[in-house]
Amino acid sequence: MSPATQPASLGVLFWAFNRLALQGFGGVLAVAQRELVERLGWLSREDFVEMLSIAQVLPGPNVVNLALMIGDRFFGLRGALTALAGMLLFPSVIVLGLASISDALLQHQTMAGALRGMGAVAAGLIIATGMKLLPSLKRNPVGRAWALLLALAAFGAIALARTPLIWVVLGLGGIGMGLAWRRLSRGDGDERA
């Protein structure tokens, strides 16, 4: 699906990813979905889920990979570099500034508690984003039932069995790709499980 709108210029792209990065302390995924799909309308939910799945298997942070892909989609290499700069420039300055005073800040129990609280909020945002994107599985070639089963298997393997991520990605990712390939090659990608 092509998006209804696209960034008007490289500057708009830069500031959109800058705003996205500065809002997402502890996790940008929820903010990225809200900004890129709902507020800006640059991607449909299905496009967002597809690009995010590719971004997750590439090396590097998911949202940085996503920024590179979106920038490239609209403006080619210049767009990819601009989106990357938007994601990293000001947050890097902030992190470097905080790092210079981190020893003094982390000595306070209040600061340590605040950081733990932000971690819980980030986890909640990721779960909420997953729930919001769940309807987009209707159009996924794997189908909602298989996708949910694979997600539960991944949770069990990582959180409960403590299986190394590389084996989960190779194993369950391979199964998911096999299911999608089988359904698409049979031509029944529109009939969902």
Side-chain angles (χ1 to χ4, degrees):
M1 295 178 69
S2 62
T5 61
Q6 65 181 50
S9 67
L10 289 170
V12 169
L13 184 71
F14 173 86
W15 289 111
F17 277 100
N18 180 60
R19 184 175 56 249
L20 191 153
L22 292 176
Q23 288 180 55
F25 190 90
V28 182
L29 180 60
V31 178
Q33 189 275 331
R34 187 180 69 239
E35 286 287 314
L36 299 171
V37 174
E38 295 172 12
R39 196 175 84 69
L40 297 170
W42 292 351
L43 300 172
S44 68
R45 282 187 178 180
E46 290 81 10
D47 287 339
F48 182 81
V49 169
E50 287 178 19
M51 290 180 104
L52 179 62
S53 9
I54 294 168
Q56 289 177 327
V57 296
L58 293 173
N62 301 342
V63 180
V64 170
N65 293 338
L66 191 64
L68 287 166
M69 287 188 283
I70 292 169
D72 179 66
R73 176 186 229 183
F74 294 119
F75 295 105
L77 180 61
R78 292 181 317 136
L81 295 175
T82 300
L84 179 64
M87 280 296 298
L88 299 178
L89 183 64
F90 291 120
S92 296
V93 170
I94 291 170
V95 167
L96 290 172
L98 289 174
S100 68
I101 60 170
S102 67
D103 283 338
L105 287 176
L106 291 177
Q107 297 300 322
H108 298 287
Q109 289 297 330
T110 306
M111 182 57 72
L115 289 174
R116 280 193 299 277
M118 285 184 238
V121 169
L125 286 171
I126 290 170
I127 291 169
T129 301
M131 299 297 286
K132 193 182 291 187
L133 294 174
L134 197 57
S136 66
L137 288 178
K138 290 178 188 173
R139 300 189 62 206
N140 189 292
V142 174
R144 188 185 305 216
W146 276 107
L148 291 174
L149 184 64
L150 289 170
L152 285 173
F155 175 79
I158 293 169
L160 304 176
R162 305 271 188 212
T163 306
L165 184 60
I166 184 72
W167 300 118
V168 175
V169 170
L170 290 175
L172 295 176
I175 292 170
M177 287 188 294
L179 286 168
W181 178 78
R182 184 172 167 235
R183 288 213 173 157
L184 290 171
S185 66
R186 283 191 345 208
D188 64 351
D190 292 328
E191 298 170 17
R192 305 292 178 244

